Amino acid sequence: MTGSDDAVPLPSTGPLLAVDVGERRIGLALSDPEQRLAHPLATLTRRPGRRFPLRALRPHLDDAGAVGVVVGLPLTLEGDEGPSALEARRIGQLIGDTVSLPVAYEDERFTTARAHGAIRDLEGSTRGRKGDVDQLAATVLLQQYLDRRR
């Protein structure tokens, strides 16, 4: 399967929550109910070697009334799935099973680089803005998904 294949189709209306999984931080973004525009939501921290912080994610899903989840799939430059993509799929399965929401996967290549570039353009530097970068990467990921679906 490639990065933009949906295991289960997501509803076409209602807020979608995007999850950009990193080793130390997890960026979250949320769409509007019409699924036209994505915006940054939060950054969760993840301790190295620890499980995915599902308990910290759940309130964001509940508060937003999310109808589906988009998980970033870190493909290789060639578009193949390596160990990181398999881990992202495992986390997506865990989220879907635990909160009973459909999960889709979106190719996340270059989303962090685009987020860094956007913050540099606005602020001149990303120093001290790691959480902002993660949220913006999730926002880029979700907007890419929304645009592709239209």
Side-chain angles (χ1 to χ4, degrees), residues 106-117:
E106 183 69 13
D107 180 357
E108 71 166 19
R109 286 178 289 178
F110 313 116
T111 57
T112 300
R114 289 169 56 192
H116 273 283

Side-chain angles (χ1 to χ4, degrees), residues 100-131:
S100 299
L101 288 175
V103 175
Y105 301 92
E106 183 69 13
D107 180 357
E108 71 166 19
R109 286 178 289 178
F110 313 116
T111 57
T112 300
R114 289 169 56 192
H116 273 283
I119 289 175
R120 268 195 302 274
D121 288 348
L122 291 172
E123 304 284 331
S125 171
T126 58
R127 186 179 178 109
R129 306 288 305 266
K130 291 179 182 179

Side-chain angles (χ1 to χ4, degrees), residues 16 26 104 126 132:
L16 298 177
I26 296 133
T126 58
D132 292 341

Side-chain angles (χ1 to χ4, degrees), residues 35-46:
Q35 298 184 5
R36 291 192 182 122
L37 198 58
H39 60 85
L41 181 62
T43 302
L44 306 178
T45 55
R46 181 180 186 186

Side-chain angles (χ1 to χ4, degrees), residues 29-95:
L30 187 67
S31 79
D32 61 329
E34 294 79 27
Q35 298 184 5
R36 291 192 182 122
L37 198 58
H39 60 85
L41 181 62
T43 302
L44 306 178
T45 55
R46 181 180 186 186
R47 292 174 41 203
R50 303 294 289 197
R51 298 170 73 202
F52 182 84
L54 201 50
R55 208 174 304 182
L57 176 65
R58 187 178 285 257
H60 294 288
L61 290 163
D62 293 343
D63 291 348
V67 297
V69 179
V70 178
V71 175
L73 195 61
L75 301 177
T76 66
L77 290 177
E78 296 79 25
D80 298 324
E81 292 190 20
S84 295
L86 295 176
E87 174 67 3
R89 286 196 183 275
R90 187 190 68 74
I91 289 170
Q93 182 74 43
L94 173 70
I95 293 169

